[in-house]
Amino acid sequence: AAGLFFIGGWVYTTYHHYDELTTANLTLIPATIIIAAGVFMFIVGICGCFAACKENKFLLAVLFTVLLIILCAEVTAAGLAYGFRKDVKKAVKEGLSDALQNYTGTQKDQMNYVQRELKCCGVENATDWTTSKGWNNTLVPESCCISTNCSAADRKPSSGKIYQEACFKKLNGLFASNL
């Protein structure tokens, strides 16, 4: 149960910056389910200790049944995660493209965060910013710059002073490696 609490908390702290770029069902909803499973497993563990101390065969049979159901649910969840991995790729691409086109508010903050943290620029490459409706500029945002202080000349999509790797490739790899 403690492991589930840790994993759920880690997912919340690691992926809360991506909740607007991808749909919440990819990041925060699974973390909530993991934490809820941790609470449930803690309660089952307490009941198991009580059943073992009392040496009650009925309570032990109920505990065995609940643990068997949990095992089946875990196997099913693993199968579903594997089966829907292509949907994650589609959702990541759509979320990034939407954030790039509507570069305002929280989507702007999260897109800047992704570009700084993952050291990337644009969805497919830096030239994506030239077609962005929300950005309206021939330059890339400062979050694409390799150094902290870059001039307007450094922020051209062809400049060697900005990140060249695609954010979609990096973010999709990050999600896929943790799925």
Side-chain angles (χ1 to χ4, degrees):
L4 293 174
F5 289 134
F6 175 76
I7 291 170
W10 175 79
V11 169
Y12 262 110
T13 57
T14 303
Y15 293 104
H16 76 278
H17 294 288
Y18 305 119
D19 63 340
E20 296 264 339
L21 296 179
T22 63
T23 52
N25 62 349
L26 296 177
T27 54
L28 301 182
I29 291 174
T32 304
I33 292 170
I34 289 171
I35 291 172
V39 170
F40 181 70
M41 291 297 292
F42 181 74
I43 293 168
V44 168
I46 298 264
C47 292
C49 289
F50 181 72
C53 288
K54 290 289 185 180
E55 295 181 9
N56 186 324
K57 288 183 182 183
F58 176 74
L59 288 177
L60 289 171
V62 169
L63 176 67
F64 172 76
T65 305
V66 169
L67 290 175
L68 188 62
I69 291 169
I70 291 170
L71 176 65
C72 291
E74 287 176 351
V75 170
T76 302
L80 288 172
Y82 182 76
F84 286 106
R85 69 188 182 286
K86 299 253 190 243
D87 291 342
V88 171
K89 185 176 184 177
K90 180 181 173 189
V92 169
K93 185 157 193 161
E94 287 174 358
L96 282 172
S97 296
D98 187 48
L100 187 110
Q101 292 303 318
N102 304 310
Y103 189 67
T104 57
T106 48
Q107 287 187 325
K108 176 182 178 179
D109 296 338
Q110 291 185 347
M111 192 68 183
N112 287 336
Y113 175 81
V114 166
Q115 290 181 146
R116 273 190 217 100
E117 288 298 308
L118 300 181
K119 297 177 176 33
C120 60
C121 189
V123 178
E124 295 294 333
N125 57 41
T127 59
D128 292 340
W129 286 105
T130 59
T131 60
S132 171
K133 295 174 190 158
W135 179 240
N136 241 353
N137 203 326
T138 57
L139 305 176
V140 299
E142 288 184 29
S143 58
C144 286
C145 293
I146 295 171
S147 66
T148 54
N149 54 352
C150 62
S151 65
D154 296 337
R155 293 176 32 216
K156 292 181 181 176
S158 59
S159 169
K161 297 188 178 190
I162 61 168
Y163 300 120
Q164 297 298 323
E165 195 163 356
C167 289
F168 168 67
K169 181 180 173 187
K170 286 200 163 193
L171 189 58
N172 186 55
L174 180 67
F175 281 131
S177 69
N178 289 304
L179 186 62

